[in-house]
Amino acid sequence: MAVRTILTAPDPRLKAISQTVETVDNNLRRLADDMFESMYAADGIGLAAIQIGVAKRVLVMDLNPKKGEKEPRLFINPKIVWTSDDVAVSEEGCLSVPDIWEDVERPAQIRAEYLDRDGRLQTLDAEGLLATCLQHEMDHLEGILFLDHLSKLKRSIALRKLAKAKRLKETG
Ligand code: NI
């Protein structure tokens, strides 16, 4: 396993549309393990493969990484098959948009289908943080960042903040 570099906006690779996984094999499981390690190393709760530059429909998540017991979740080729009419607003952040947190509105409940680590089809009903995180990560598969859900003004302020933070880091 290896910790991989996480791409940050506005890296154009983050806009790529990820490809469907054809076979869940050991290579794919190795990719997932690298994703988990990279996510834990960065103190994140979710990561899409494209964030480490791999355009495959693979997501990892752990909503409980700091409370001792790990709860790793892997989603391969996830698909939302139902969304509620109710919406929920939650504050979101992203490892590819460091240090920026903004409110995003999304369906409050969803039902998703995906393949697990053994390539078996699973169904999941989600609400709360799980629903938010899954929708956020699935957006990455379409090249969408949570910033794209904000008003133009809020997005450009966030991107400027991000560029400034990057410059400061580079100049030390
Ligand atoms: Ni993200």
Side-chain angles (χ1 to χ4, degrees):
M1 292 208 283
V3 172
R4 311 250 210 122
T5 304
I6 295 174
L7 308 178
T8 54
D11 192 306
R13 285 172 287 180
L14 291 167
K15 300 223 184 241
I17 310 274
S18 293
Q19 302 298 305
T20 301
V21 171
E22 301 295 342
T23 340
V24 179
D25 56 12
N26 284 337
N27 281 334
L28 200 277
R29 284 184 278 269
R30 261 195 295 276
L31 168 68
D33 289 343
D34 281 0
M35 289 169 64
F36 276 117
E37 202 169 326
S38 308
M39 178 185 77
Y40 288 127
D43 276 333
I45 60 170
L47 189 75
I50 192 61
Q51 292 179 274
I52 56 165
V54 178
K56 286 189 180 161
R57 301 183 88 81
V58 182
L59 312 175
V60 296
M61 209 180 282
D62 190 333
L63 303 182
N64 209 8
K66 279 183 195 154
K67 291 189 190 143
E69 198 99 330
K70 284 197 165 120
E71 222 177 79
R73 297 169 181 270
L74 169 63
F75 300 91
I76 301 163
N77 298 341
K79 228 186 264 167
I80 291 177
V81 294
W82 173 82
T83 55
S84 64
D85 292 332
D86 315 351
V87 293
V89 175
S90 342
E91 194 175 61
E92 295 187 22
C94 179
L95 291 175
S96 293
V97 188
D99 300 323
I100 291 172
W101 300 84
E102 292 286 349
D103 281 345
V104 178
E105 185 182 294
R106 299 182 187 273
Q109 288 107 25
I110 59 168
R111 173 170 298 156
E113 286 181 354
Y114 62 96
L115 300 179
D116 67 14
R117 203 176 169 87
D118 300 311
R120 286 179 306 216
L121 184 66
Q122 304 284 352
T123 303
L124 175 74
D125 288 307
E127 58 180 2
L129 182 59
L130 180 57
T132 298
C133 192
L134 197 50
Q135 291 176 84
H136 172 119
E137 299 309 329
M138 286 181 65
D139 272 354
H140 279 297
L141 306 180
E142 310 303 331
I144 297 167
L145 296 175
F146 79 97
L147 297 179
D148 298 322
H149 290 279
L150 307 180
S151 69
K152 238 180 165 174
L153 179 64
K154 275 196 167 171
R155 184 166 64 238
S156 71
I157 291 170
L159 284 169
R160 269 208 301 277
K161 228 164 111 184
L162 197 64
K164 199 176 161 195
K166 263 192 187 175
R167 275 201 307 277
L168 284 175
K169 217 172 173 182
E170 274 158 21
T171 54

